[in-house]
Amino acid sequence: MNKERMFGWMTMAIITCFLAVVVPLITPIFSIAESNVSLLVSAAASMKDALEEIKPIYEQSKPNINIKFNFGASGALQQQIEQGAPADIFISAARKQIDALEQKGLLVPGTRTNLASNRLVLIVGNNTTAINNFFDLTDTKIKKIAVGEPRSVPAGQYADQVLKKLGIFEGLKPKLVLANNVRQVLASVESGNADAGLVYATDAKISHKVKVVVTADEKYHSPIIYPMAIIKSSKNIPQSRQFVTFLSGSQAQIVLKKYGFIVK
């Protein structure tokens, strides 16, 4: 009987030692696999509708990943990142902002890529008939033209370039109403607070209250490119890489095309 008890104690001791050594090695593996991760994507306002449709598609395939967005003017988002605001991924509506972050060493090397491109269009309210081209904006009857603030809004920078190339910028300057992002430009035209506005083709596509009267010739402005990259301060670089790869894949690009973005 004593031998049986001793054998039992020895067996329990061996099992206890085994668990003490092995369990700590196994537990972290499961913890990492099952832990939820939130990715914060700072993105140009013009990407809002497309990215919000892409979000549930990705989260369905990656149930432990939660995508959150911070939409705004690309210049404002750039400044936030430079000042230390949290962000895992940055998607800009122009190269300028990504270039600035790259020069300051704030991007993960090798993660920069172009997601899509766009076109710049002149929009008016559906019932407007007096504006059919850029030169009609010079008419004295046209009082307000909404554009993005060119220092921080890429759409505003492109608008500036087009109006200057056409030689009508100085004459239109008193009429220009500056908006904090391209969606505010769209809203101004939709509400009738502006007679016309310059937005991306993708912004015009989501609205039933405006119409496109002309698409700006691409030779009049810098290429409208949406570069994206992972922010160096991100605590979720592996997960960010996966989402960036997904955005460049066929499922996400189908959605981008649906909203009018130009993809490869």
Side-chain angles (χ1 to χ4, degrees):
M1 189 70 178
N2 288 336
K3 288 183 180 180
E4 290 178 355
R5 284 183 180 179
M6 185 173 293
F7 178 79
W9 290 339
M10 288 178 65
T11 302
M12 287 298 295
I14 292 169
I15 292 173
T16 301
C17 290
F18 175 81
L19 292 176
V21 172
V22 174
V23 170
L25 297 176
I26 296 175
T27 303
I29 296 173
F30 285 102
S31 297
I32 292 171
E34 295 173 358
S35 63
N36 292 324
V37 172
S38 289
L39 293 182
L40 180 58
V41 181
S42 287
S46 51
M47 297 288 301
K48 185 176 188 296
D49 298 86
L51 287 178
E52 286 184 340
E53 185 165 326
I54 289 171
K55 168 183 160 80
I57 298 172
Y58 186 73
E59 289 180 343
Q60 188 173 6
S61 65
K62 299 280 186 180
N64 65 313
I65 303 295
N66 178 30
I67 306 294
K68 295 181 179 179
F69 296 115
N70 174 28
F71 294 109
S74 298
L77 296 175
Q78 171 207 333
Q79 289 182 354
Q80 290 174 15
I81 293 168
E82 288 176 343
Q83 293 165 7
D88 295 294
I89 299 166
F90 178 39
I91 305 174
S92 175
R95 292 170 174 160
K96 177 183 176 182
Q97 291 75 25
I98 286 278
D99 286 344
L101 295 182
E102 190 167 38
Q103 289 166 8
K104 293 182 179 181
L106 298 177
L107 305 181
V108 175
T111 63
R112 177 174 175 170
T113 185
N114 291 334
L115 176 60
S117 58
N118 214 332
R119 298 296 301 275
L120 189 73
V121 297
L122 176 64
I123 59 168
V124 297
N126 283 333
N127 298 322
T128 300
T129 58
I131 302 172
N132 296 293
N133 56 61
F134 284 108
F135 294 101
D136 286 342
L137 298 175
T138 62
D139 193 304
T140 54
K141 293 178 183 177
I142 308 304
K143 304 298 183 183
K144 293 181 179 180
I145 305 162
V147 295
E149 211 295 326
R151 290 173 297 180
S152 61
V153 183
Q157 296 163 17
Y158 300 131
D160 246 23
Q161 292 171 3
V162 170
L163 298 179
K164 286 174 180 175
K165 282 282 188 180
L166 294 173
I168 57 177
F169 178 79
E170 289 302 323
L172 296 181
K173 208 170 180 179
K175 301 181 181 184
L176 299 181
V177 179
L178 304 183
N180 291 329
N181 61 64
V182 73
R183 289 302 171 87
Q184 286 187 10
V185 176
L186 177 65
S188 293
V189 180
E190 286 179 328
S191 65
N193 289 330
D195 301 301
L198 280 150
V199 299
Y200 298 120
T202 50
D203 299 303
K205 190 177 178 68
I206 65 167
S207 176
H208 300 295
K209 298 178 180 179
V210 303
K211 61 184 178 182
V212 174
V213 292
V214 63
T215 300
D217 193 317
E218 290 182 291
K219 69 184 178 185
Y220 292 144
H221 61 76
S222 303
I224 302 176
I225 302 294
Y226 287 75
M228 63 178 173
I230 298 171
I231 304 304
K232 205 169 190 177
S233 60
S234 169
K235 294 179 172 60
N236 306 297
I237 290 176
Q239 294 87 350
S240 296
R241 286 183 187 275
Q242 290 177 349
F243 186 55
V244 164
T245 299
F246 180 82
L247 288 175
S248 298
S250 58
Q251 277 185 291
Q253 295 208 344
I254 287 171
V255 177
L256 291 170
K257 284 181 182 178
K258 170 185 170 181
Y259 283 93
F261 288 97
I262 303 165
V263 298
K264 293 180 180 179

